[in-house]
Amino acid sequence: MLSRASYIVNKLSAGSSNPLCFVLNNAFCIVWLLILCLKRNMATWIRSLPGAWWESSDERALRGLVEKQVKVDDVRANPAEDENCRCFKRARTDNVSSPEQLRQHATGKLGMKPQVWTAKKVDSLGYKEAHKKFLADFSEFAETEKSFQAIRDKDFSCLDEQELTFLDYTGSMLTPLSLIDSHTEFLRKTIIANPHSNSLPSEMASGVDERARAAVLNMFHADPSEYTIMWTQNATGALKLVGESYPFGEDGVYMYAPDSHNSVLGVARYAKQYRMFPFVQGSWMWNIPEACKLMTAISHVSKGTNKLVAITGQSNVSGIKHPLGEMVRTAHKNGWDVMLDSAAMAPTSRLNLSEIGVEYACVSFYKMFGYPTGIGALVAKKSALQKLNRPWFSGGTVRMVRSDTEKGLYVIMHKKENAEYFEDGTPNFQMSAAVEEGVRYVQSIGIDRITVHTSSLIRWIGGELRQLYWDEDSLGRTRPLLKFPAMKSDDGCIQGSSLAFAMYTKENKLIPHQLIGNVARERGIAIRTGCFCNPGTGLEFFQSSMHKLSSGKFFEFADGNPAEDILDEFRGIGFIRVSVGFPTTFMDAFKFVSFLKEDILRRPKDISTLTDEWLTKMAPPASLC
Ligand SMILES: Cc1ncc(COP(=O)(O)O)c(C=O)c1O
């Protein structure tokens, strides 16, 4: 209507020099513009009214739809519906089909729009006081704080530029800028090619590769006359390599720790007999005497059979580093081979193979120095490799093959102590150069200094979190916000670079980990929530809910298609994990603790309501890993 009026005034004033017409015409335009702006702001404002206080408008829209049980497919089939939901509109044009993709859309991941966090301003006075006390309590940290800050400023500046508090270093180290630079420089200037050829560039690639292998062995104190290294895709690849080649046969036994990563548990698929040794009751500590007894007893009844025990350097859930010496000694005394999962330990602790003497150890390099991904290693005793038999051969693993219609295949494999026997196809020859750089990078910082830096931060965070209590309720009760399984340091256990806990409402109801992960994300804090591919700790902690699955039906559960109602019982069950790395600063730790105090503890009612809502409406089917 307004535009029509403006049009009429325009017509009337056409060719007219009347100043009134001129003013009227412009006034209409201004009013028209004002209304347009108001309309847009009002819509945003109205949309912002319902829902949780931290949700972005996209998320709120998504939440509205989830609450209305609108499925992606329905919306795609019926484009007229819910035109007001921006993310759904974008989803349609970009052909997004799964709810997960949709969620990513809502947070801008697929659209690649820049991430915008609503990071809170830090209480600078509180920070200064806490920092001062922290430095006084952790004097070793204080000595090297400046040099770690310099690394942070040089190689991880994007964290501060984007105001992201990253506390998921057990998931992966972030990529240091200087490693990308040095690797790019290397690739620009060096001509390397498939090392299986005989050319100069191949020779160059082989030389680089050899240097990288030597650097890794050196880093892990592995004597090259005793140990060798095989490149794998990651730690999982290394575990699988041992699992599929270990001669379990009919009577061989596989044993593993209760808080093992799924990649360790998966090896049980290759063994006809497998056992788990238990935790100390009510805690996340291994029952080491029990484990040693079990190994001894099994070796008495199954003399001469092959036995493999898997232990973990640092649990990726509890963050505990167990004393390994006694277990390894008992294992060796009783004829067991030992496989060490050092994926979570190696990034922040010294792995000394000459001291611990395990047969097999595995790592993922992206966890240690953040670049590159897609390459890990199995470091193994040459003598232990003699035992392994690969179930297949491929380019790279053989010296000669003849294929004959009548006589079949004639194959000469590489020697078992050679890495080639275990490496399928062309090795990752570009990335092994980056591994050498990465090793040098970590060594220049110093692994022992990294241990002090990270363990100081995690101990401080743990101490602060243990003091978080809800206010008294009407009956005068106070309840802890968080629950940690007990750990006694006098048992030789050490808290590594991570910490996990479960969070409870004021009414003592488990807060779904997804909810906390979501709130943290909106605050610009990256943490890990769930069970982290390690169901053992969950089994111990959430026993009452897990009883259905704790009846030795591991394989049936994994093989079958579990009924929805079983999955339903696990809604929201899982932990919250914070993990630190050498780029972590005290400010990161302080921000996380402040986040729990300000965003969770001060909002008991919101948290309780959202917990109920999440459990009934929002939670996706749970996964146990
Ligand atoms: C203890 C532990 N073992 C094994 C793995 C598997 O590592 P990847 O996924 O790099 O193979 C992880 C990954 O987080 C881990 O923490």
Side-chain angles (χ1 to χ4, degrees), residues 206-462:
S206 300
V208 170
D209 187 82
E210 284 309 316
R211 281 211 318 263
R213 288 174 198 267
V216 175
L217 288 178
N218 172 273
M219 182 180 209
F220 295 146
H221 304 268
D223 179 349
S225 65
E226 192 182 3
Y227 281 93
T228 191
I229 164 178
M230 273 85 25
W231 299 131
T232 57
Q233 193 183 346
N234 43 33
T236 301
L239 293 161
K240 179 167 178 280
L241 199 53
V242 178
E244 69 184 11
S245 311
Y246 195 80
F248 286 114
E250 288 300 312
D251 308 321
V253 189
Y254 179 54
M255 196 160 103
Y256 50 83
D259 53 347
S260 293
H261 191 277
N262 280 345
S263 303
V264 170
L265 298 182
V267 171
R269 280 299 222 177
Y270 293 111
K272 294 241 162 50
Q273 302 184 51
Y274 57 90
R275 290 290 294 269
M276 183 189 92
F277 60 83
F279 283 123
V280 171
Q281 221 186 359
S283 89
W284 271 346
M285 290 183 306
W286 298 346
N287 192 331
I288 290 178
E290 187 62 29
C292 291
K293 254 196 253 165
L294 247 169
M295 279 193 286
T296 313
I298 291 173
S299 76
H300 282 320
V301 291
S302 51
K303 276 203 174 79
T305 61
N306 291 310
K307 297 174 284 291
L308 178 68
V309 58
I311 50 179
T312 304
Q314 176 180 310
S315 165
N316 70 319
V317 179
S318 67
I320 294 177
K321 293 190 285 185
H322 288 88
L324 305 177
E326 189 190 345
M327 285 202 63
V328 178
R329 277 191 300 277
T330 311
H332 285 163
K333 209 168 105 192
N334 288 284
W336 290 73
D337 294 307
V338 184
M339 177 165 74
L340 177 67
D341 174 2
S342 27
M345 167 206 181
T348 52
S349 303
R350 186 175 288 279
L351 170 58
N352 188 335
L353 289 174
S354 69
E355 210 173 274
I356 187 161
V358 294
E359 276 65 32
Y360 314 104
C362 61
V363 287
S364 281
F365 293 114
Y366 72 89
K367 285 188 191 290
M368 294 173 65
F369 30 82
Y371 180 85
T373 52
I375 184 162
L378 169 67
V379 183
K381 273 188 179 166
K382 289 178 179 171
S383 56
L385 291 178
Q386 295 298 334
K387 215 174 204 178
L388 304 184
N389 301 307
R390 298 221 57 201
W392 84 321
F393 68 86
S394 65
T397 63
V398 282
R399 297 208 57 187
M400 200 198 98
V401 180
R402 198 191 73 182
S403 174
D404 192 292
T405 7
E406 279 169 29
K407 294 180 189 153
L409 283 168
Y410 182 89
V411 184
I412 303 178
M413 299 286 286
H414 275 289
K415 280 187 183 164
K416 285 187 183 174
E417 68 261 32
N418 292 351
E420 285 101 322
Y421 179 87
F422 295 93
E423 292 178 348
D424 299 329
T426 305
N428 197 344
F429 63 93
Q430 288 185 339
M431 289 309 158
S432 51
V435 168
E436 190 196 356
E437 281 292 333
V439 168
R440 216 178 294 149
Y441 181 79
V442 170
Q443 284 180 329
S444 72
I445 303 171
I447 191 72
D448 295 334
R449 289 166 80 208
I450 292 175
T451 308
V452 169
H453 184 83
T454 50
S455 72
S456 306
L457 287 167
I458 219 69
R459 269 155 55 213
W460 182 81
I461 294 174

Side-chain angles (χ1 to χ4, degrees), residues 63-180:
R63 184 179 148 89
L65 288 171
V66 174
E67 277 169 6
K68 276 193 267 164
Q69 300 288 303
V70 179
K71 293 202 177 77
V72 184
D73 282 347
D74 296 346
V75 178
R76 294 184 72 205
N78 181 7
E81 196 176 324
D82 272 297
E83 280 301 321
N84 61 349
C85 178
R86 225 161 16 109
C87 59
F88 268 86
K89 277 195 230 163
R90 264 198 279 141
R92 268 201 303 278
T93 45
D94 290 4
N95 221 9
V96 166
S97 55
S98 75
E100 186 46 41
Q101 279 180 312
L102 186 67
R103 233 168 249 127
Q104 289 186 358
H105 240 270
T107 51
K109 278 184 200 143
L110 290 184
M112 297 304 280
K113 79 177 179 195
Q115 300 282 5
V116 183
W117 325 111
T118 42
K120 274 203 165 171
K121 271 210 154 17
V122 170
D123 159 20
S124 55
L125 214 65
Y127 168 75
K128 269 188 197 152
E129 258 175 43
H131 186 222
K132 202 167 139 194
K133 182 159 185 329
F134 171 70
L135 292 185
D137 291 348
F138 295 89
S139 55
E140 276 187 287
F141 180 98
E143 282 168 26
T144 53
E145 188 186 32
K146 280 204 178 106
S147 54
F148 278 96
Q149 184 66 51
I151 296 168
R152 163 80 170 234
D153 295 343
K154 178 168 161 261
D155 277 336
F156 304 93
S157 52
C158 50
L159 282 176
D160 299 310
E161 281 156 18
Q162 296 182 26
E163 295 191 35
L164 179 69
T165 304
F166 186 79
L167 291 168
D168 188 17
Y169 287 93
T170 300
S172 63
M173 168 56 61
L174 297 172
T175 312
L177 293 181
S178 57
L179 279 190
I180 315 174

